[in-house]
């Protein structure tokens, strides 16, 4: 999940983790109001790679089709039995999405 950066009127910063599309514009912490200043700072390092991506997944029945398709397109990718591609790096993820004609507008890549 991405990390979102918030700032109060005094310039104090805090970071909070929210699911993509779920981060509020403002948060209140101990009576202080913070406004979101950066959409997505980073993906926490604790996530690391490989990354199982549910957002670009397919139905379990189509998992092998996706695996074969990406291999033919020159981006060999492991796909879980649930149909979720497993990316090994940011560059691998970007190449696999591009091979499928997809683009993540909220991505840090």
């Amino acid at each position: 999940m991405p990390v979102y950066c918030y700032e109060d009127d005094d310039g104090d910063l805090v970071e909070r983790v929210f699911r993509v599309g779920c981060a509020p514009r403002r948060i209140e912490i101990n009576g202080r109001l913070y406004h979101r200043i950066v959409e997505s700072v980073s993906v926490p390092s604790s996530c690391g790679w490989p990354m199982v991506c549910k957002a670009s997944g397919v139905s379990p029945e189509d998992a092998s089709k996706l695996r074969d398709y990406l291999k033919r397109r020159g981006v060999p990718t492991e796909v879980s039995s649930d149909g979720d591609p497993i990316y090994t790096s940011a560059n691998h993820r970007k190449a696999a999405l591009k091979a499928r004609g997809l683009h993540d507008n909220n991505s840090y890549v």
Side-chain angles (χ1 to χ4, degrees):
M1 284 190 269
V3 176
Y4 295 86
C5 191
Y6 293 84
E7 182 179 31
D8 70 2
D9 291 336
D10 295 331
D12 293 328
L13 299 175
V14 296
E15 293 178 345
R16 293 293 183 264
V17 177
F18 292 98
R19 291 174 25 158
V20 172
C22 295
R25 295 262 177 222
R26 291 181 296 272
I27 59 174
E28 187 176 328
I29 302 172
N30 297 329
R32 297 181 78 169
L33 189 61
Y34 291 80
H35 300 275
R36 192 170 72 200
I37 59 169
V38 177
E39 285 298 314
S40 178
V41 176
S42 66
V43 172
S45 60
S46 62
C47 291
W49 301 98
M51 172 195 288
V52 178
C53 184
K54 294 189 178 298
S56 63
V58 295
S59 67
E61 299 82 30
D62 293 331
S64 62
K65 291 178 187 175
L66 177 59
R67 186 181 306 110
D68 294 343
Y69 176 81
L70 289 171
K71 186 176 182 180
R72 284 193 311 273
R73 297 291 303 238
V75 190
T77 304
E78 184 180 345
V79 179
S80 73
S81 60
D82 291 334
D84 302 323
I86 301 170
Y87 303 124
T88 58
S89 68
N91 287 335
H92 176 234
R93 178 177 178 268
K94 186 175 182 180
L97 290 175
K98 184 176 181 180
R100 295 175 64 197
L102 301 174
H103 176 76
D104 183 358
N105 288 334
N106 292 320
S107 177
Y108 58 94
V109 179

